Structures are given as C-alpha cells and as structure tokens.
Amino acid sequence: MSVTPAESARPALQATRHSPLEDVQGVLTGCLFVALAILIFRESRLLLGGSAGLAFLLHYLGGWRLGTVLFAVNLPFYVFAYRAMGRSFTLKTFCAVGVLSLYTEMLPGLIAFQRIDPVFAAVMAGLLAGIGILILIRHGASLGGLGVLAIYLQKTRGWRAGTVQMAGDCVILALGLMVVSPLQVALSVLAAGALNLVIAINHRPERYFGA
C-alpha cells in the first residue's frame, strides 16, 4: 500500500501515560461533571443506569442519603475490578466513587434549581454524565458497577462500552417504574441515550494516545 507525501511527513504519534497529577485532575473533574448530572437527575426525579441507578432506586425507596448509598452499592464490584482490570484501575475507581459520593452530598449546598424543564434536564444531565465518565475512562478509572463490566468487555472482546452500558441501563430503568412515573422513566431513557451516545462516539482507543 502506497503512502502519500502528507502521510510520510506526519510525525508518528507515541502513546504517553498520564502523570499522577493529570490523573488526579481527571478524577476530580470527571466526578464533578457526573455529580452535577446527578443533582439535575435528583431535582427532576429521574433515574440513571448502572450502579448509580441502583443507588437512586434505594434512595427513592428508602430515603437514604444518595452519596452514602452510591458508595455502598459499588463495594462488591471492586473484587471483580481488581481481578479483571488490575490494581491501578481498581484504586482509581475506588477513589472516583469516593469523590463522586462526596460531591453528591456537597453540591446541593452549593447550587439549587428553581425551575428546570424535564426534557432539557434529561438531555443535559445525560450529556454531562457521559462527558464525566469519558474523562474517567481516559484516565484509567470508572464509576464501578456496570461501568467496570462494560470497559472489561470492550478490552477483552471488542464490545462497545456504550452498547453494554445501554443494555444494563435498560434493566435498571425498567425497575424504575416501581418508584417514578412512566413519563419520568421515558425521560430517563432519553438521558441514558444521551449519555451512551457521548461514550459510543468519543471513546475510540485507536484515536486517543493517552493512558
């Protein structure tokens, strides 16, 4: 196969690892995006998918603090994360979930919504959560739960992380009919679509030269 002059002149890209400081800012920033999305979801009484969705279900059913429940429901997944993805990924994921749980409890004291259109809330929160999760993925972390499984299957079997995440989200959102109205579940599906669209389009390891 011939190589064009432009291609031959293009410098070869070398994969470079993120520094510890870059990973810290990635976790702090990504979790902040997701925490803001969670606040919008809660204000609109919508649902997320994955382990966050389970936390929302328990929060709505039992009235427990969302940040605490979010941290607790992810605990069983760390063993799988360690065996499947390694020590570094598991440690970063543990830190990310801890930071997200803290942000989730802090943000209501820093920002409040007097009015938010439910359709806009679903789309905007989904996009924010997708961007936050994408940042975490690119820094070798996740928010645990189904996110761990989705990344693992993408690395080992080539399955799209967004597709796997969407399947799990559908199950969680179906269970949401126990605690919210069908309209709110429908809007939650819209939000899940926005979230997974961001990841499916933008999470292309062959186009990203960082680790």
Side-chain angles (χ1 to χ4, degrees):
M1 183 173 62
S2 61
V3 179
T4 65
E7 290 175 331
S8 62
R10 185 183 304 161
L13 295 175
Q14 299 294 325
T16 56
R17 299 190 64 83
H18 290 120
S19 69
L21 181 60
E22 289 171 334
D23 283 336
V24 168
Q25 72 81 29
V27 169
L28 294 177
T29 303
C31 287
L32 187 58
F33 274 96
V34 178
L36 182 56
I38 286 176
L39 180 60
I40 296 174
F41 274 101
R42 183 162 60 180
E43 289 293 316
S44 305
R45 202 166 172 79
L46 301 179
L47 292 165
L48 276 166
S51 57
L54 290 175
F56 264 101
L57 288 175
L58 294 173
H59 170 68
Y60 290 148
L61 287 170
W64 296 308
R65 298 181 71 89
L66 182 57
T68 303
V69 176
L70 183 62
F71 184 81
V73 297
N74 278 287
L75 292 176
F77 292 97
Y78 293 124
V79 174
F80 172 78
Y82 182 79
R83 292 178 177 176
M85 307 297 292
R87 177 180 175 182
S88 176
F89 176 87
T90 304
L91 179 60
K92 290 179 183 179
T93 296
F94 180 82
C95 292
V97 174
V99 169
L100 179 62
S101 300
L102 181 62
Y103 281 164
T104 300
E105 295 299 323
M106 289 176 54
L107 279 189
L110 300 175
I111 185 173
F113 298 95
Q114 292 184 338
R115 177 187 175 276
I116 183 167
D117 180 82
V119 176
F120 174 79
V123 174
M124 192 68 224
L127 294 175
L128 283 171
I131 293 169
I133 292 171
L134 181 64
I135 292 173
L136 293 174
I137 290 174
R138 288 186 169 180
H139 284 271
S142 79
L143 292 176
L146 288 178
V148 172
L149 179 60
I151 298 171
Y152 173 72
L153 289 175
Q154 177 163 290
K155 286 187 173 182
T156 58
R157 300 192 179 185
W159 296 3
R160 282 286 183 84
T163 302
V164 175
Q165 187 80 44
M166 177 67 84
D169 290 347
C170 289
V171 175
I172 299 298
L173 294 174
L175 294 174
L177 289 169
M178 298 186 301
V179 294
V180 297
S181 70
L183 176 59
Q184 288 168 315
V185 170
L187 291 173
S188 299
V189 171
L190 175 63
L195 186 159
N196 287 288
L197 183 65
V198 170
I199 296 175
I201 292 177
N202 293 283
H203 184 47
R204 302 290 183 88
E206 71 275 10
R207 296 181 182 174
Y208 182 70
F209 294 89

